[in-house]
Amino acid sequence: MKYLLYLILIILLISCEARIDNNKRALFSTTVVDGSNNPVENVEVVVYSGFYSFDFQSASFTKFSDSNEDFILGSGITDSNGEVSFLMLVNTDEQTSFSLTSIDYPRRIVSISNGNYASTLEYNIPTQILKQSSIVNLNFSNTTGVTDVFNAIITFESLNCSQYTEDGITTDVVCEERDFLPFNQSASDTFIDIETVYPSIMTVEYTDATGAIITEQFIITNATENYVVQF
């Protein structure tokens, strides 16, 4: 039993070692703008190693238990042009992540494939867009007196955007999120608050009593919005 405990301890120590190449440094650079394409200054950009999980005797372990404990590979602050560049350590895993943090915007996390960047040692990331948060109140208003219960699919842009592609980062990734809402069961289920970002578009889709698919779109342009869906 004692030897088994020693073996487990050794495996844990090896698995928790930072998976980096000590002989390499890469140049990370990107530009951060807002929804109107204006540069965003003083955004903290932190590149870190992604989560690493392993299995041992049918038990799953995670290399880092909390995002604050990720191994930082490099960091920098955007200037007045929204630009940032810095030297970073090179992660030997397939995936590397970076975060964008600002007091005026929701934190954004982006994951990228190392295959496109590690060989050139230049992580030249396309322009990143930060959007401000918005609370959207949807009111489902029964104007026909119908008693059917409907199921709405509400599609909107995620507040916490996380994106990843096998071939590296792309410039046009939609961070889409969905809520499923049954409505017209009672008076209380006709209101819903959704946290999203602006500028963006929210889509509400449901099948009405006749079997027709109803689709409505709302343009989100402010920190608070109120829209009515009549049925």
Side-chain angles (χ1 to χ4, degrees):
M1 182 65 181
K2 179 174 66 176
Y3 296 106
L4 178 59
L5 292 176
Y6 287 149
L7 177 61
I8 293 175
L9 179 60
I10 292 172
I11 292 174
L12 290 175
L13 289 174
I14 294 174
S15 300
C16 290
E17 290 181 357
R19 303 173 68 87
I20 60 175
D21 190 332
N22 288 323
N23 297 317
K24 289 183 180 179
R25 298 294 184 271
L27 179 64
F28 180 97
S29 62
T30 191
T31 301
V32 182
V33 299
D34 62 17
S36 299
N37 205 38
N38 298 313
V40 182
E41 189 177 4
N42 293 325
V43 176
E44 182 183 25
V45 181
V46 179
V47 185
Y48 54 90
S49 58
F51 288 112
Y52 170 67
S53 298
F54 64 97
D55 296 320
F56 179 74
Q57 293 186 345
S58 301
S60 180
F61 299 88
T62 302
K63 181 180 177 183
F64 300 118
S65 59
D66 187 89
S67 60
N68 293 329
E69 298 175 17
D70 286 338
F71 191 87
I72 295 177
L73 305 176
S75 64
I77 304 293
T78 58
D79 60 20
S80 59
N81 295 317
E83 299 175 352
V84 62
S85 63
F86 50 84
L87 288 177
M88 55 171 277
L89 298 171
V90 177
N91 185 12
T92 59
D93 289 334
E94 295 181 357
Q95 179 179 340
T96 296
S97 300
F98 66 92
S99 62
L100 307 172
T101 305
S102 170
I103 60 173
D104 298 318
Y105 300 89
R107 184 172 183 261
R108 187 178 185 195
I109 300 173
V110 182
S111 297
I112 57 179
S113 169
N114 274 347
N116 281 41
Y117 301 103
S119 60
T120 63
L121 297 181
E122 289 188 12
Y123 286 72
N124 185 14
I125 306 300
T127 298
Q128 300 296 301
I129 302 175
L130 288 182
K131 297 183 178 182
Q132 293 180 315
S133 60
S134 174
I135 299 294
V136 180
N137 174 260
L138 289 178
N139 177 14
F140 292 82
S141 177
N142 189 337
T143 61
T144 63
V146 65
T147 58
D148 301 63
V149 175
F150 305 105
N151 293 287
I153 301 175
I154 307 169
T155 306
F156 54 96
E157 194 166 334
S158 174
L159 183 70
N160 298 307
C161 177
S162 181
Q163 57 193 52
Y164 173 76
T165 61
E166 290 293 339
D167 297 324
I169 202 72
T170 59
T171 57
D172 187 21
V173 174
V174 178
C175 301
E176 188 178 273
E177 191 169 334
R178 289 186 174 186
D179 262 4
F180 298 88
L181 175 72
F183 63 94
N184 207 36
Q185 298 179 111
S186 64
S188 62
D189 69 10
T190 59
F191 297 92
I192 183 173
D193 285 334
I194 294 180
E195 194 169 9
T196 181
V197 295
Y198 74 94
S200 65
I201 296 175
M202 179 175 291
T203 302
V204 178
E205 183 178 286
Y206 67 95
T207 302
D208 69 8
T210 68
I213 298 177
I214 307 299
T215 302
E216 295 195 41
Q217 285 192 330
F218 304 105
I219 300 176
I220 315 302
T221 57
N222 296 288
T224 56
E225 298 277 16
N226 296 279
Y227 291 109
V228 178
V229 179
Q230 295 183 343
F231 63 95

